[in-house]
Amino acid sequence: MAGRHRLALAAFAATGILATVAAAPATAEVSGPDVSSWQHIDGRGIDWHAVRASGNHFAMVKATEGLSYVNPYFVPDSLLMRAAGVARGTYHYARPALAPEPQAAMYAAVVLGQNGMLDLPPVLDMEDSGGLSPAALIDWTHRYLNTVQALTGRTPIIYTYPNFWRTAMADSPEFHRYPLWIADYRGNEGPEVPGGWPAWTFWQYTDSGRIPGIAAGTDINVYSGAQGDFARYANMPSFGSS
C-alpha cells in the first residue's frame, strides 16, 4: 500500500532508482495502481488519461488516515480519474489506537459516497495494530467495517498483507464476507491468502511498478474476478477493449 511504502518511494524519488518490476500475472486483464500523495512528486499531478491509455482500468486512492489526515490530492485525483474513465477505489489507513467509528465517519464524509458511476466499494487498509491485542483488534475491525458499510451502503474490502493478518489478527477467519485485497510481492504465481479466505479479489503484486502518467513508482494491483464482472462491480457500463 502506498502508505506503508512511503519511505521507499521517497528514496526512489530522490535517487531516480526503482527496483525491477515483477512481471504481472499472465492471466491478469483488469489492473490498476495504488496512489497517495507520494505519487505526486514535487506536487505534480497524475495524467489519468495516460494511466487509462496504458491499459489500467481502476486505481485505488488513499483518502484518509486516522482522525486527522486527508490526502491533499484526493479530490483532484478523484475528479480527473473519473473524467478519464478510470474506476475509483478509495481507502482509509487504519489507526487502531483511535476509536473506529469516528474514523469510519471521517472517511465516509471525505469520499462523498461510494455508489456513483465508476465507484468501487470502500477499502479498509489494515497494516497497523495500534498496540492492540489480536482479540481487541478483531473487535476494532468489525466495528469499523460495520460502521462504514452502514454509512456507504456497500460491503467494504479489506487490504492487508499475509504476515500482518497471521500475527496481529491471529489469522482470524471471521471476515470472509468482505472481499480481500492482499499484498504479496514475492513473485509467485499467486498471492498467499491468510485467514482461510476462499479467494482473493485484488492482488497487489509489486510495490515498485511504473505506469505512464505517474511520475513516481507505484504499487500495481490486479483483479481476480472473484466478485464477478468488473464493470458491474465498479458501477461502470464497460471498460472497453484497450
Side-chain angles (χ1 to χ4, degrees), residues 37-61:
S37 62
W38 294 98
Q39 278 64 50
H40 292 267
I41 295 177
D42 299 326
R44 279 179 276 176
I46 292 173
D47 182 345
W48 287 105
H49 288 278
V51 172
R52 179 64 189 88
S54 63
N56 294 283
H57 305 103
F58 68 90
M60 303 296 195
V61 184

Side-chain angles (χ1 to χ4, degrees), residues 33-36 48 59-64 71 73-74 77-78 81 88-92 107 181:
D34 162 14
V35 303
S36 68
W48 287 105
M60 303 296 195
V61 184
K62 182 174 183 176
T64 52
N71 174 9
Y73 299 97
F74 176 75
D77 277 340
S78 291
M81 65 194 295
R88 182 190 73 152
T90 70
Y91 63 89
H92 174 76
Y107 164 81
W181 175 15

Side-chain angles (χ1 to χ4, degrees), residues 83-125:
V86 177
R88 182 190 73 152
T90 70
Y91 63 89
H92 174 76
Y93 190 98
R95 291 298 185 187
L98 304 170
E101 290 84 2
Q103 291 188 59
M106 186 180 84
Y107 164 81
V110 168
V111 299
L112 297 174
Q114 293 286 166
N115 292 288
M117 190 66 70
L118 299 173
D119 269 337
L120 286 162
V123 178
L124 174 62
D125 179 354

